[in-house]
Amino acid sequence: MRALTALALLAVLVTSCNTPEPSRPSEAPGSPARTAPPTGPVLSKLSIAAKFGEQGIRVSPNGEMVLVVEREGFVHTVYDLAGRAIFSHKVGEIAMNPFWLPDSSGVVTGQRVGVAPGGSPILDLSILELDGTVRELVRGVVIPVAEGHHVSPDGSLAFVTPCCPSTVVVVSRSGGTRREIATSPTAVRLLSWDADGYVLYWSGGNAIDAVRPDGSRYQVPLGLPAGVTATSIEPGARTADGAANIFSIAADGPFPGTAQNNTADRTLIARELRPYQSGAALAVRVSATELLTHPNGSFGAYDMTTGVTRTLATVADDEAVPPTAASGRIVMTSPHRTWVRLFDLDRDAEWHDTEVGRVLNEIGYALARGRFLVFDEDGAPYVLDGVAARAAPARTVQSAASPNATVGTIQAARNAAIGQKMQLTWRLPDGAPQSLDYFGGTLVVVSTWKRACVVCTQQLALMSDVTVGSRVEIIAIGVDETEASALEAAKDYRRLRPLVGSAAVLKDISPGLLPQTFVLDSDHIVRQVIFGPLTWDVLVRALTAASKSRLALRDGDVALS
């Protein structure tokens, strides 16, 4: 159970770079866009021992280093962007997401030493310094909730001890004796720090408490109606100096002015909770106080201290694709294709699409100076130079008026037996993934062929000629064929959709016997398997039977040649 808990935490760790506060990029707020010409390749393999989804990966706030946490032994290794290991340390059993200090000077990590009465892990925390030393920070605290919010603007850190009672403790970045500055008979959730050095926390009531190491305090009511009680408070984004903190507050009744909504965002400024409406779904910094927004396909900058959004750029984008990350003034999105989309906030009015030669995962993180950490389909890490990609020639879109104009490469093929739903997925030349689900409730014929098999290629013409109420998709799979040979075979048959796949990938649906034809109903369940030569009558009868089995034909539909 302990191992499973740690693995679950690391699963969160891999994606937690998108959480609101750990600051990410890069250049100084408001810094101008780079004007120098690109000096390196658009996409470079990052030589680190990491694979997305298998290790915990976190980018340093300055965008110059990457922390990798191995599941086996929980080894923490920090790499620079040249792939050199700066230090490596085996922590043992961990029970929290390690997090970078805001100045990128070290990593806070925790080791489980016990379990609190409510089941939360009790941790001893340490700082992994960049020189390879380990500095003990504090003992006997509960798991950090908001990570970067535990660090004050001046570098002190605050944590809470297990309930009950629960205490708020403060330690310096260099460790040393901890100071207990507040106590509560109930469990405490640490929320953040404000600009005046007060620790903000919630102990289950209808107010946020604030206490400073010198003992001074204040309290901020949540502003809930009589009879309504807060049930949770989650920290969101904050300004670097702590002047503004956004909190998501949930209650057992509606908030005032929220149309019966039991959850609302409130921004704490000058000891007052203000109901600013941010609409800022992105945790990307535009300046010290602003977050990037992307409403209706345009870019804006939401100021956390005023609640006002100013327009940055109007984007010509019919798809309104949400950005993945932003570094400097370059915004990047990865649509899971062999190309990426770039937008320069200072110069562009539309996205710039650049071919990168590999299908990239949709996940990506900002690095320094307009660069991004991205991953290919196998999870291997790469550095994408956004400035170089933005300066590269725009991707040329090839027109494909007919299904036979492009060839897909099969990624997976399973379930070829009668009565099973066939699983067939492939990737188009531009990297777009596709599957049988793309064809909705359409009947499908799947046939395998090889250039050396004369009967196979002859059948392609027959299949292209047959329709059943025009609601049939014809897929011709070339086994161990090239894209060029598949295009050649299908060029005269507009109704054929050519795919290619290796015998190893196709071993489930094509175990050596060619040709092989599968007739699928509108749920893509295999209704008939035809081995060897195919005749028009046999194919029409099979299609008609498959259509009747799922009522895919309209009244009056007939099989035609």
Side-chain angles (χ1 to χ4, degrees), residues 467-478:
T467 65
V468 178
S470 75
R471 301 175 68 184
V472 181
E473 184 72 27
I474 310 293
I475 296 176
I477 301 176

Side-chain angles (χ1 to χ4, degrees), residues 179 181 193 196-199 210-217 271:
R179 302 177 60 186
I181 63 173
W193 292 73
D196 297 321
Y198 284 84
V199 180
V211 60
R212 200 160 54 182
D214 64 8
S216 56
R217 335 176 45 95
R271 305 186 183 185

Side-chain angles (χ1 to χ4, degrees), residues 92-328:
E93 183 181 1
I94 65 173
M96 61 169 277
N97 291 333
F99 63 92
W100 283 94
L101 293 172
D103 62 359
S104 302
S105 65
V107 173
V108 178
T109 189
Q111 203 162 7
R112 183 201 302 265
V113 294
V115 179
S120 298
I122 301 175
L123 308 174
D124 287 348
L125 303 184
S126 301
I127 295 179
L128 307 180
E129 305 284 4
L130 296 186
D131 62 5
T133 60
V134 180
R135 185 187 300 277
E136 183 179 287
L137 186 62
V138 65
R139 293 186 176 185
V141 296
V142 298
I143 187 169
V145 175
E147 302 179 359
H149 288 63
H150 288 254
V151 187
S152 72
D154 67 3
S156 299
L157 292 96
F159 303 96
V160 297
T161 61
C163 188
C164 287
S166 183
T167 60
V168 178
V169 300
V170 173
V171 294
S172 72
R173 188 254 183 257
S174 59
T177 304
R178 72 187 192 183
R179 302 177 60 186
E180 297 185 357
I181 63 173
T183 302
S184 171
T186 59
V188 167
R189 166 163 287 199
L190 191 139
L191 300 176
S192 190
W193 292 73
D194 73 3
D196 297 321
Y198 284 84
V199 180
L200 306 173
Y201 68 95
W202 178 62
S203 55
N206 277 0
I208 292 174
D209 286 292
V211 60
R212 200 160 54 182
D214 64 8
S216 56
R217 335 176 45 95
Y218 68 87
Q219 196 174 65
V220 182
L222 300 182
L224 297 174
V228 176
T229 303
T231 56
S232 73
I233 301 181
E234 299 292 338
R238 75 172 185 183
T239 57
D241 62 2
N245 278 276
I246 299 175
F247 300 120
S248 177
I249 305 171
D252 58 8
F255 274 74
T258 60
Q260 307 302 309
N261 194 336
N262 288 16
T263 302
D265 287 347
R266 294 290 185 264
T267 303
L268 181 64
I269 299 176
R271 305 186 183 185
E272 176 188 356
L273 283 173
R274 303 180 184 180
Y276 292 160
Q277 299 301 314
S278 73
L282 303 177
V284 173
R285 304 283 177 160
V286 178
S287 70
T289 63
E290 295 173 311
L291 300 176
L292 186 68
T293 66
H294 188 243
N296 304 317
S298 295
F299 288 107
Y302 167 72
D303 192 320
M304 291 179 277
T305 63
T306 64
V308 175
T309 299
R310 62 185 175 94
T311 300
L312 293 177
T314 300
V315 189
D317 182 10
D318 294 336
E319 300 178 16
V321 178
T324 299
S327 175

